[in-house]
Amino acid sequence: MKRIFLMLLLFLLPASVIFGAEPQVAAQGAALIDGKTGRLLWGKEETKPLAMASTAKIMTAILVLEHCGMDEVVSISKNAARQPEVHMDLKEGEQWKVGDLLSAMMLRSYNDAAVALAEHTFGSTEVFCQKMTEKARKLGAKDTVFGSPNGLDSHLTEEVHHSAAYDMARIAEIIAQPKIDITDLKGKRRTEVTNADRFLREYRGAIGVKTGYTNRAGHCFVGAAERDGVRLVSAVLGSGWGAVGKEKKWTDTKALMEYGFAMFQPYEAVRKGTVFGEVAVADSPVKRVETVLGEGYCALFSEAERESLRLEAVLPEQVEAPVAAGDKMGKAILYLGAEPLAEIDLLAGRSARGYTLSERMEWLAGGWISWRKF
């Protein structure tokens, strides 16, 4: 009976889970990253510039969260009110709280809410988009330029509005609310907003993040999931068009996640306080000082990757006394194959005082006597 159960389990599980095969992904660009370190775990054209549709609203949300209070009042402009579908039918002159518009934008991808928030935050969508691009650079997104706060691209060229799957995964903001109720400040309009993210309902451990679609970008999705302390973030851009593409963005994302959870586990590559290296000390009765790792490093690695991890010390041959325990002496570089993953300070494991005056005189006298005998 046990054997039959195991055979049935193998039949039901995806091949990528059983054999560690790479995921089959239809998207034009795809990336799977470690949600805690940002390291790329798997990619397909992950740095290729592509339209990103409404996944751009992730960056809009980040900027709003950084620069606005959730109870600030947003007055809806004519420009925001006339944004095309998908929209929440905002009216010029209405007033809403930032937090309500932000939640509505992320749950239902409302284009008018995105523009209203952008104008409120930096005065215009043009300035807001400049700030979006600058923020992307700071987060390590090197292949991203934003031309609109809502991801609409019909009036924009690829040069002024594009991203890459790896970039979108790096800048993902976690939005996991299933439903909210929001009301304008005058209490005239009450709106129930349900999350359009099927991933939250269909995938165990899902915690977001954002769907997107335009005629140029196709169906896109940035997803995040967490199981047993392992957090994965994925992005698929251009999974397809029409009904087939709409479905494929979900299967693409699930394939990436299943591969990630099956292949990668948390591994403590470096432990804080471990002795690693030593340095000679000049002008001290302590001739050498051991160095210790100032920080640890734990991340997701496959079993094969663990064999390729190595740590190299970068230390001076000699330092002058005095040395205090905890002083920075150099650094250790953690490599995965030829790729540097992290730099960790190497600290003095003990103190090394300089010679006292009497010790120095004694040493000089000893040297003089030795010279005279010679």
PDB file of all heavy atoms in Angstrom, residues 193-228:
ATOM      1  N   VAL A 193     -13.810  46.706  -2.682  1.00  0.00           N
ATOM      2  CA  VAL A 193     -12.757  46.353  -3.632  1.00  0.00           C
ATOM      3  C   VAL A 193     -12.221  44.969  -3.281  1.00  0.00           C
ATOM      4  O   VAL A 193     -11.716  44.744  -2.189  1.00  0.00           O
ATOM      5  CB  VAL A 193     -11.600  47.376  -3.588  1.00  0.00           C
ATOM      6  CG1 VAL A 193     -10.561  47.041  -4.653  1.00  0.00           C
ATOM      7  CG2 VAL A 193     -12.123  48.785  -3.784  1.00  0.00           C
ATOM      8  N   THR A 194     -12.352  44.025  -4.210  1.00  0.00           N
ATOM      9  CA  THR A 194     -11.823  42.680  -4.011  1.00  0.00           C
ATOM     10  C   THR A 194     -10.554  42.510  -4.834  1.00  0.00           C
ATOM     11  O   THR A 194     -10.418  43.078  -5.921  1.00  0.00           O
ATOM     12  CB  THR A 194     -12.851  41.615  -4.446  1.00  0.00           C
ATOM     13  OG1 THR A 194     -13.224  41.856  -5.803  1.00  0.00           O
ATOM     14  CG2 THR A 194     -14.079  41.676  -3.576  1.00  0.00           C
ATOM     15  N   ASN A 195      -9.632  41.735  -4.302  1.00  0.00           N
ATOM     16  CA  ASN A 195      -8.347  41.539  -4.966  1.00  0.00           C
ATOM     17  C   ASN A 195      -8.523  40.661  -6.199  1.00  0.00           C
ATOM     18  O   ASN A 195      -9.081  39.558  -6.130  1.00  0.00           O
ATOM     19  CB  ASN A 195      -7.352  40.881  -3.993  1.00  0.00           C
ATOM     20  CG  ASN A 195      -5.919  41.067  -4.431  1.00  0.00           C
ATOM     21  OD1 ASN A 195      -5.612  41.021  -5.613  1.00  0.00           O
ATOM     22  ND2 ASN A 195      -5.039  41.282  -3.476  1.00  0.00           N
ATOM     23  N   ALA A 196      -8.015  41.142  -7.343  1.00  0.00           N
ATOM     24  CA  ALA A 196      -8.121  40.396  -8.598  1.00  0.00           C
ATOM     25  C   ALA A 196      -7.030  39.344  -8.752  1.00  0.00           C
ATOM     26  O   ALA A 196      -6.972  38.663  -9.769  1.00  0.00           O
ATOM     27  CB  ALA A 196      -8.054  41.365  -9.778  1.00  0.00           C
ATOM     28  N   ASP A 197      -6.195  39.201  -7.754  1.00  0.00           N
ATOM     29  CA  ASP A 197      -5.059  38.292  -7.814  1.00  0.00           C
ATOM     30  C   ASP A 197      -5.501  36.861  -7.503  1.00  0.00           C
ATOM     31  O   ASP A 197      -5.667  36.478  -6.349  1.00  0.00           O
ATOM     32  CB  ASP A 197      -3.996  38.770  -6.810  1.00  0.00           C
ATOM     33  CG  ASP A 197      -2.756  37.913  -6.802  1.00  0.00           C
ATOM     34  OD1 ASP A 197      -2.712  36.918  -7.552  1.00  0.00           O
ATOM     35  OD2 ASP A 197      -1.835  38.234  -6.050  1.00  0.00           O
ATOM     36  N   ARG A 198      -5.680  36.050  -8.538  1.00  0.00           N
ATOM     37  CA  ARG A 198      -6.077  34.650  -8.365  1.00  0.00           C
ATOM     38  C   ARG A 198      -5.025  33.852  -7.618  1.00  0.00           C
ATOM     39  O   ARG A 198      -5.327  32.873  -6.930  1.00  0.00           O
ATOM     40  CB  ARG A 198      -6.301  33.997  -9.734  1.00  0.00           C
ATOM     41  CG  ARG A 198      -7.709  34.104 -10.259  1.00  0.00           C
ATOM     42  CD  ARG A 198      -7.811  33.490 -11.636  1.00  0.00           C
ATOM     43  NE  ARG A 198      -7.224  32.161 -11.726  1.00  0.00           N
ATOM     44  CZ  ARG A 198      -7.079  31.503 -12.868  1.00  0.00           C
ATOM     45  NH1 ARG A 198      -7.458  32.068 -14.012  1.00  0.00           N
ATOM     46  NH2 ARG A 198      -6.555  30.297 -12.895  1.00  0.00           N
ATOM     47  N   PHE A 199      -3.789  34.266  -7.750  1.00  0.00           N
ATOM     48  CA  PHE A 199      -2.679  33.555  -7.128  1.00  0.00           C
ATOM     49  C   PHE A 199      -2.875  33.435  -5.621  1.00  0.00           C
ATOM     50  O   PHE A 199      -2.545  32.412  -5.018  1.00  0.00           O
ATOM     51  CB  PHE A 199      -1.382  34.296  -7.458  1.00  0.00           C
ATOM     52  CG  PHE A 199      -0.122  33.596  -7.041  1.00  0.00           C
ATOM     53  CD1 PHE A 199       0.181  32.335  -7.541  1.00  0.00           C
ATOM     54  CD2 PHE A 199       0.768  34.201  -6.172  1.00  0.00           C
ATOM     55  CE1 PHE A 199       1.350  31.692  -7.174  1.00  0.00           C
ATOM     56  CE2 PHE A 199       1.941  33.575  -5.797  1.00  0.00           C
ATOM     57  CZ  PHE A 199       2.231  32.309  -6.296  1.00  0.00           C
ATOM     58  N   LEU A 200      -3.425  34.493  -4.992  1.00  0.00           N
ATOM     59  CA  LEU A 200      -3.669  34.481  -3.555  1.00  0.00           C
ATOM     60  C   LEU A 200      -4.626  33.366  -3.161  1.00  0.00           C
ATOM     61  O   LEU A 200      -4.498  32.769  -2.097  1.00  0.00           O
ATOM     62  CB  LEU A 200      -4.242  35.824  -3.098  1.00  0.00           C
ATOM     63  CG  LEU A 200      -3.269  36.998  -2.998  1.00  0.00           C
ATOM     64  CD1 LEU A 200      -4.034  38.269  -2.727  1.00  0.00           C
ATOM     65  CD2 LEU A 200      -2.238  36.751  -1.905  1.00  0.00           C
ATOM     66  N   ARG A 201      -5.575  33.065  -4.009  1.00  0.00           N
ATOM     67  CA  ARG A 201      -6.588  32.061  -3.690  1.00  0.00           C
ATOM     68  C   ARG A 201      -6.172  30.658  -4.099  1.00  0.00           C
ATOM     69  O   ARG A 201      -6.646  29.681  -3.526  1.00  0.00           O
ATOM     70  CB  ARG A 201      -7.904  32.426  -4.386  1.00  0.00           C
ATOM     71  CG  ARG A 201      -8.459  33.782  -4.003  1.00  0.00           C
ATOM     72  CD  ARG A 201      -9.850  33.997  -4.568  1.00  0.00           C
ATOM     73  NE  ARG A 201      -9.879  33.980  -6.027  1.00  0.00           N
ATOM     74  CZ  ARG A 201      -9.674  35.046  -6.787  1.00  0.00           C
ATOM     75  NH1 ARG A 201      -9.387  36.215  -6.211  1.00  0.00           N
ATOM     76  NH2 ARG A 201      -9.735  34.973  -8.104  1.00  0.00           N
ATOM     77  N   GLU A 202      -5.312  30.551  -5.092  1.00  0.00           N
ATOM     78  CA  GLU A 202      -5.060  29.245  -5.696  1.00  0.00           C
ATOM     79  C   GLU A 202      -3.719  28.618  -5.317  1.00  0.00           C
ATOM     80  O   GLU A 202      -3.489  27.455  -5.639  1.00  0.00           O
ATOM     81  CB  GLU A 202      -5.126  29.362  -7.219  1.00  0.00           C
ATOM     82  CG  GLU A 202      -6.482  29.754  -7.744  1.00  0.00           C
ATOM     83  CD  GLU A 202      -6.524  29.860  -9.257  1.00  0.00           C
ATOM     84  OE1 GLU A 202      -5.463  29.694  -9.902  1.00  0.00           O
ATOM     85  OE2 GLU A 202      -7.619  30.092  -9.798  1.00  0.00           O
ATOM     86  N   TYR A 203      -2.843  29.369  -4.664  1.00  0.00           N
ATOM     87  CA  TYR A 203      -1.519  28.817  -4.399  1.00  0.00           C
ATOM     88  C   TYR A 203      -1.202  28.884  -2.913  1.00  0.00           C
ATOM     89  O   TYR A 203      -1.287  29.950  -2.294  1.00  0.00           O
ATOM     90  CB  TYR A 203      -0.448  29.587  -5.186  1.00  0.00           C
ATOM     91  CG  TYR A 203       0.887  28.877  -5.211  1.00  0.00           C
ATOM     92  CD1 TYR A 203       1.099  27.784  -6.053  1.00  0.00           C
ATOM     93  CD2 TYR A 203       1.917  29.268  -4.372  1.00  0.00           C
ATOM     94  CE1 TYR A 203       2.309  27.116  -6.064  1.00  0.00           C
ATOM     95  CE2 TYR A 203       3.133  28.609  -4.372  1.00  0.00           C
ATOM     96  CZ  TYR A 203       3.318  27.529  -5.219  1.00  0.00           C
ATOM     97  OH  TYR A 203       4.520  26.857  -5.232  1.00  0.00           O
ATOM     98  N   ARG A 204      -0.847  27.751  -2.339  1.00  0.00           N
ATOM     99  CA  ARG A 204      -0.555  27.687  -0.909  1.00  0.00           C
ATOM    100  C   ARG A 204       0.676  28.526  -0.575  1.00  0.00           C
ATOM    101  O   ARG A 204       1.742  28.358  -1.157  1.00  0.00           O
ATOM    102  CB  ARG A 204      -0.313  26.234  -0.479  1.00  0.00           C
ATOM    103  CG  ARG A 204      -0.056  26.074   1.021  1.00  0.00           C
ATOM    104  CD  ARG A 204      -0.035  24.614   1.416  1.00  0.00           C
ATOM    105  NE  ARG A 204       1.082  23.898   0.808  1.00  0.00           N
ATOM    106  CZ  ARG A 204       2.310  23.815   1.328  1.00  0.00           C
ATOM    107  NH1 ARG A 204       2.585  24.461   2.473  1.00  0.00           N
ATOM    108  NH2 ARG A 204       3.251  23.128   0.728  1.00  0.00           N
ATOM    109  N   GLY A 205       0.504  29.438   0.370  1.00  0.00           N
ATOM    110  CA  GLY A 205       1.595  30.306   0.789  1.00  0.00           C
ATOM    111  C   GLY A 205       1.684  31.606   0.015  1.00  0.00           C
ATOM    112  O   GLY A 205       2.563  32.433   0.287  1.00  0.00           O
ATOM    113  N   ALA A 206       0.794  31.825  -0.958  1.00  0.00           N
ATOM    114  CA  ALA A 206       0.847  33.044  -1.776  1.00  0.00           C
ATOM    115  C   ALA A 206       0.614  34.283  -0.915  1.00  0.00           C
ATOM    116  O   ALA A 206      -0.264  34.296  -0.055  1.00  0.00           O
ATOM    117  CB  ALA A 206      -0.188  32.981  -2.886  1.00  0.00           C
ATOM    118  N   ILE A 207       1.401  35.341  -1.176  1.00  0.00           N
ATOM    119  CA  ILE A 207       1.249  36.603  -0.443  1.00  0.00           C
ATOM    120  C   ILE A 207       1.226  37.797  -1.402  1.00  0.00           C
ATOM    121  O   ILE A 207       1.486  38.928  -1.006  1.00  0.00           O
ATOM    122  CB  ILE A 207       2.367  36.786   0.599  1.00  0.00           C
ATOM    123  CG1 ILE A 207       3.745  36.568  -0.012  1.00  0.00           C
ATOM    124  CG2 ILE A 207       2.161  35.868   1.773  1.00  0.00           C
ATOM    125  CD1 ILE A 207       4.894  36.797   0.958  1.00  0.00           C
ATOM    126  N   GLY A 208       0.916  37.595  -2.652  1.00  0.00           N
ATOM    127  CA  GLY A 208       0.789  38.717  -3.595  1.00  0.00           C
ATOM    128  C   GLY A 208       1.435  38.363  -4.923  1.00  0.00           C
ATOM    129  O   GLY A 208       1.792  37.219  -5.150  1.00  0.00           O
ATOM    130  N   VAL A 209       1.545  39.312  -5.896  1.00  0.00           N
ATOM    131  CA  VAL A 209       1.636  40.734  -5.605  1.00  0.00           C
ATOM    132  C   VAL A 209       0.763  41.514  -6.586  1.00  0.00           C
ATOM    133  O   VAL A 209      -0.139  42.196  -6.183  1.00  0.00           O
ATOM    134  CB  VAL A 209       3.094  41.235  -5.740  1.00  0.00           C
ATOM    135  CG1 VAL A 209       3.180  42.727  -5.386  1.00  0.00           C
ATOM    136  CG2 VAL A 209       4.026  40.459  -4.831  1.00  0.00           C
ATOM    137  N   LYS A 210       1.029  41.444  -7.933  1.00  0.00           N
ATOM    138  CA  LYS A 210       0.379  42.371  -8.849  1.00  0.00           C
ATOM    139  C   LYS A 210       0.267  41.806 -10.257  1.00  0.00           C
ATOM    140  O   LYS A 210       1.229  41.312 -10.828  1.00  0.00           O
ATOM    141  CB  LYS A 210       1.166  43.690  -8.903  1.00  0.00           C
ATOM    142  CG  LYS A 210       0.441  44.797  -9.665  1.00  0.00           C
ATOM    143  CD  LYS A 210      -0.698  45.354  -8.852  1.00  0.00           C
ATOM    144  CE  LYS A 210      -1.596  46.268  -9.668  1.00  0.00           C
ATOM    145  NZ  LYS A 210      -2.436  45.556 -10.655  1.00  0.00           N
ATOM    146  N   THR A 211      -0.953  41.924 -10.810  1.00  0.00           N
ATOM    147  CA  THR A 211      -1.200  41.549 -12.200  1.00  0.00           C
ATOM    148  C   THR A 211      -1.002  42.756 -13.115  1.00  0.00           C
ATOM    149  O   THR A 211      -0.893  43.895 -12.660  1.00  0.00           O
ATOM    150  CB  THR A 211      -2.647  41.057 -12.377  1.00  0.00           C
ATOM    151  OG1 THR A 211      -3.532  42.114 -11.987  1.00  0.00           O
ATOM    152  CG2 THR A 211      -2.913  39.828 -11.529  1.00  0.00           C
ATOM    153  N   GLY A 212      -0.985  42.501 -14.428  1.00  0.00           N
ATOM    154  CA  GLY A 212      -0.889  43.593 -15.385  1.00  0.00           C
ATOM    155  C   GLY A 212      -1.181  43.113 -16.799  1.00  0.00           C
ATOM    156  O   GLY A 212      -0.914  41.961 -17.149  1.00  0.00           O
ATOM    157  N   TYR A 213      -1.747  44.016 -17.618  1.00  0.00           N
ATOM    158  CA  TYR A 213      -1.975  43.696 -19.025  1.00  0.00           C
ATOM    159  C   TYR A 213      -2.119  44.986 -19.838  1.00  0.00           C
ATOM    160  O   TYR A 213      -2.818  45.921 -19.432  1.00  0.00           O
ATOM    161  CB  TYR A 213      -3.252  42.872 -19.233  1.00  0.00           C
ATOM    162  CG  TYR A 213      -3.520  42.614 -20.702  1.00  0.00           C
ATOM    163  CD1 TYR A 213      -2.884  41.584 -21.362  1.00  0.00           C
ATOM    164  CD2 TYR A 213      -4.382  43.440 -21.433  1.00  0.00           C
ATOM    165  CE1 TYR A 213      -3.087  41.358 -22.715  1.00  0.00           C
ATOM    166  CE2 TYR A 213      -4.594  43.235 -22.785  1.00  0.00           C
ATOM    167  CZ  TYR A 213      -3.946  42.193 -23.421  1.00  0.00           C
ATOM    168  OH  TYR A 213      -4.140  41.985 -24.763  1.00  0.00           O
ATOM    169  N   THR A 214      -1.417  45.043 -20.953  1.00  0.00           N
ATOM    170  CA  THR A 214      -1.701  46.007 -22.012  1.00  0.00           C
ATOM    171  C   THR A 214      -1.507  45.268 -23.328  1.00  0.00           C
ATOM    172  O   THR A 214      -0.929  44.172 -23.374  1.00  0.00           O
ATOM    173  CB  THR A 214      -0.745  47.236 -21.981  1.00  0.00           C
ATOM    174  OG1 THR A 214       0.592  46.788 -22.259  1.00  0.00           O
ATOM    175  CG2 THR A 214      -0.795  47.965 -20.656  1.00  0.00           C
ATOM    176  N   ASN A 215      -1.978  45.878 -24.410  1.00  0.00           N
ATOM    177  CA  ASN A 215      -1.830  45.236 -25.719  1.00  0.00           C
ATOM    178  C   ASN A 215      -0.368  45.018 -26.074  1.00  0.00           C
ATOM    179  O   ASN A 215      -0.028  44.043 -26.766  1.00  0.00           O
ATOM    180  CB  ASN A 215      -2.512  46.079 -26.800  1.00  0.00           C
ATOM    181  CG  ASN A 215      -4.017  46.057 -26.685  1.00  0.00           C
ATOM    182  OD1 ASN A 215      -4.596  45.105 -26.154  1.00  0.00           O
ATOM    183  ND2 ASN A 215      -4.672  47.107 -27.156  1.00  0.00           N
ATOM    184  N   ARG A 216       0.501  45.912 -25.636  1.00  0.00           N
ATOM    185  CA  ARG A 216       1.920  45.767 -25.946  1.00  0.00           C
ATOM    186  C   ARG A 216       2.616  44.806 -24.987  1.00  0.00           C
ATOM    187  O   ARG A 216       3.442  43.990 -25.394  1.00  0.00           O
ATOM    188  CB  ARG A 216       2.621  47.124 -25.891  1.00  0.00           C
ATOM    189  CG  ARG A 216       4.045  47.067 -26.463  1.00  0.00           C
ATOM    190  CD  ARG A 216       4.611  48.459 -26.652  1.00  0.00           C
ATOM    191  NE  ARG A 216       5.180  48.974 -25.411  1.00  0.00           N
ATOM    192  CZ  ARG A 216       5.623  50.216 -25.279  1.00  0.00           C
ATOM    193  NH1 ARG A 216       5.517  51.068 -26.274  1.00  0.00           N
ATOM    194  NH2 ARG A 216       6.141  50.619 -24.132  1.00  0.00           N
ATOM    195  N   ALA A 217       2.290  44.885 -23.711  1.00  0.00           N
ATOM    196  CA  ALA A 217       2.995  44.076 -22.707  1.00  0.00           C
ATOM    197  C   ALA A 217       2.508  42.640 -22.646  1.00  0.00           C
ATOM    198  O   ALA A 217       3.260  41.742 -22.254  1.00  0.00           O
ATOM    199  CB  ALA A 217       2.838  44.723 -21.327  1.00  0.00           C
ATOM    200  N   GLY A 218       1.251  42.390 -23.031  1.00  0.00           N
ATOM    201  CA  GLY A 218       0.677  41.072 -22.810  1.00  0.00           C
ATOM    202  C   GLY A 218       0.354  40.890 -21.333  1.00  0.00           C
ATOM    203  O   GLY A 218       0.354  41.842 -20.550  1.00  0.00           O
ATOM    204  N   HIS A 219       0.087  39.654 -20.951  1.00  0.00           N
ATOM    205  CA  HIS A 219      -0.260  39.370 -19.560  1.00  0.00           C
ATOM    206  C   HIS A 219       1.003  39.236 -18.718  1.00  0.00           C
ATOM    207  O   HIS A 219       1.928  38.503 -19.065  1.00  0.00           O
ATOM    208  CB  HIS A 219      -1.092  38.087 -19.468  1.00  0.00           C
ATOM    209  CG  HIS A 219      -2.482  38.257 -19.994  1.00  0.00           C
ATOM    210  ND1 HIS A 219      -3.470  38.907 -19.278  1.00  0.00           N
ATOM    211  CD2 HIS A 219      -3.031  37.903 -21.173  1.00  0.00           C
ATOM    212  CE1 HIS A 219      -4.589  38.924 -20.000  1.00  0.00           C
ATOM    213  NE2 HIS A 219      -4.348  38.322 -21.148  1.00  0.00           N
ATOM    214  N   CYS A 220       1.041  39.978 -17.598  1.00  0.00           N
ATOM    215  CA  CYS A 220       2.202  40.024 -16.713  1.00  0.00           C
ATOM    216  C   CYS A 220       1.761  39.757 -15.279  1.00  0.00           C
ATOM    217  O   CYS A 220       0.624  40.042 -14.908  1.00  0.00           O
ATOM    218  CB  CYS A 220       2.883  41.389 -16.774  1.00  0.00           C
ATOM    219  SG  CYS A 220       3.320  41.944 -18.438  1.00  0.00           S
ATOM    220  N   PHE A 221       2.682  39.246 -14.493  1.00  0.00           N
ATOM    221  CA  PHE A 221       2.372  39.048 -13.076  1.00  0.00           C
ATOM    222  C   PHE A 221       3.656  39.001 -12.265  1.00  0.00           C
ATOM    223  O   PHE A 221       4.621  38.330 -12.632  1.00  0.00           O
ATOM    224  CB  PHE A 221       1.586  37.749 -12.849  1.00  0.00           C
ATOM    225  CG  PHE A 221       1.178  37.548 -11.416  1.00  0.00           C
ATOM    226  CD1 PHE A 221       0.275  38.397 -10.809  1.00  0.00           C
ATOM    227  CD2 PHE A 221       1.706  36.507 -10.661  1.00  0.00           C
ATOM    228  CE1 PHE A 221      -0.105  38.234  -9.483  1.00  0.00           C
ATOM    229  CE2 PHE A 221       1.334  36.322  -9.327  1.00  0.00           C
ATOM    230  CZ  PHE A 221       0.423  37.192  -8.744  1.00  0.00           C
ATOM    231  N   VAL A 222       3.653  39.740 -11.172  1.00  0.00           N
ATOM    232  CA  VAL A 222       4.716  39.659 -10.169  1.00  0.00           C
ATOM    233  C   VAL A 222       4.117  38.967  -8.958  1.00  0.00           C
ATOM    234  O   VAL A 222       3.118  39.428  -8.408  1.00  0.00           O
ATOM    235  CB  VAL A 222       5.249  41.052  -9.791  1.00  0.00           C
ATOM    236  CG1 VAL A 222       6.309  40.935  -8.704  1.00  0.00           C
ATOM    237  CG2 VAL A 222       5.819  41.755 -11.012  1.00  0.00           C
ATOM    238  N   GLY A 223       4.692  37.849  -8.569  1.00  0.00           N
ATOM    239  CA  GLY A 223       4.121  37.052  -7.490  1.00  0.00           C
ATOM    240  C   GLY A 223       5.077  36.858  -6.343  1.00  0.00           C
ATOM    241  O   GLY A 223       6.299  36.985  -6.495  1.00  0.00           O
ATOM    242  N   ALA A 224       4.545  36.531  -5.183  1.00  0.00           N
ATOM    243  CA  ALA A 224       5.374  36.221  -4.019  1.00  0.00           C
ATOM    244  C   ALA A 224       4.678  35.139  -3.206  1.00  0.00           C
ATOM    245  O   ALA A 224       3.444  35.104  -3.115  1.00  0.00           O
ATOM    246  CB  ALA A 224       5.603  37.463  -3.163  1.00  0.00           C
ATOM    247  N   ALA A 225       5.472  34.251  -2.651  1.00  0.00           N
ATOM    248  CA  ALA A 225       4.922  33.178  -1.810  1.00  0.00           C
ATOM    249  C   ALA A 225       5.927  32.840  -0.728  1.00  0.00           C
ATOM    250  O   ALA A 225       7.140  33.008  -0.900  1.00  0.00           O
ATOM    251  CB  ALA A 225       4.601  31.945  -2.655  1.00  0.00           C
ATOM    252  N   GLU A 226       5.412  32.344   0.398  1.00  0.00           N
ATOM    253  CA  GLU A 226       6.281  31.988   1.517  1.00  0.00           C
ATOM    254  C   GLU A 226       5.806  30.691   2.145  1.00  0.00           C
ATOM    255  O   GLU A 226       4.613  30.514   2.422  1.00  0.00           O
ATOM    256  CB  GLU A 226       6.301  33.105   2.563  1.00  0.00           C
ATOM    257  CG  GLU A 226       7.315  32.881   3.672  1.00  0.00           C
ATOM    258  CD  GLU A 226       7.550  34.129   4.509  1.00  0.00           C
ATOM    259  OE1 GLU A 226       6.897  35.152   4.257  1.00  0.00           O
ATOM    260  OE2 GLU A 226       8.403  34.059   5.410  1.00  0.00           O
ATOM    261  N   ARG A 227       6.756  29.780   2.341  1.00  0.00           N
ATOM    262  CA  ARG A 227       6.477  28.511   3.009  1.00  0.00           C
ATOM    263  C   ARG A 227       7.647  28.173   3.929  1.00  0.00           C
ATOM    264  O   ARG A 227       8.798  28.184   3.501  1.00  0.00           O
ATOM    265  CB  ARG A 227       6.302  27.373   1.991  1.00  0.00           C
ATOM    266  CG  ARG A 227       5.094  27.488   1.084  1.00  0.00           C
ATOM    267  CD  ARG A 227       5.065  26.310   0.122  1.00  0.00           C
ATOM    268  NE  ARG A 227       3.961  26.401  -0.828  1.00  0.00           N
ATOM    269  CZ  ARG A 227       3.783  25.547  -1.850  1.00  0.00           C
ATOM    270  NH1 ARG A 227       4.656  24.553  -2.026  1.00  0.00           N
ATOM    271  NH2 ARG A 227       2.768  25.696  -2.662  1.00  0.00           N
ATOM    272  N   ASP A 228       7.333  27.879   5.168  1.00  0.00           N
ATOM    273  CA  ASP A 228       8.345  27.432   6.132  1.00  0.00           C
ATOM    274  C   ASP A 228       9.546  28.369   6.181  1.00  0.00           C
ATOM    275  O   ASP A 228      10.700  27.931   6.250  1.00  0.00           O
ATOM    276  CB  ASP A 228       8.803  26.005   5.800  1.00  0.00           C
ATOM    277  CG  ASP A 228       7.656  25.004   5.821  1.00  0.00           C
ATOM    278  OD1 ASP A 228       6.785  25.140   6.690  1.00  0.00           O
ATOM    279  OD2 ASP A 228       7.634  24.109   4.957  1.00  0.00           O
TER     280      ASP A 228
END
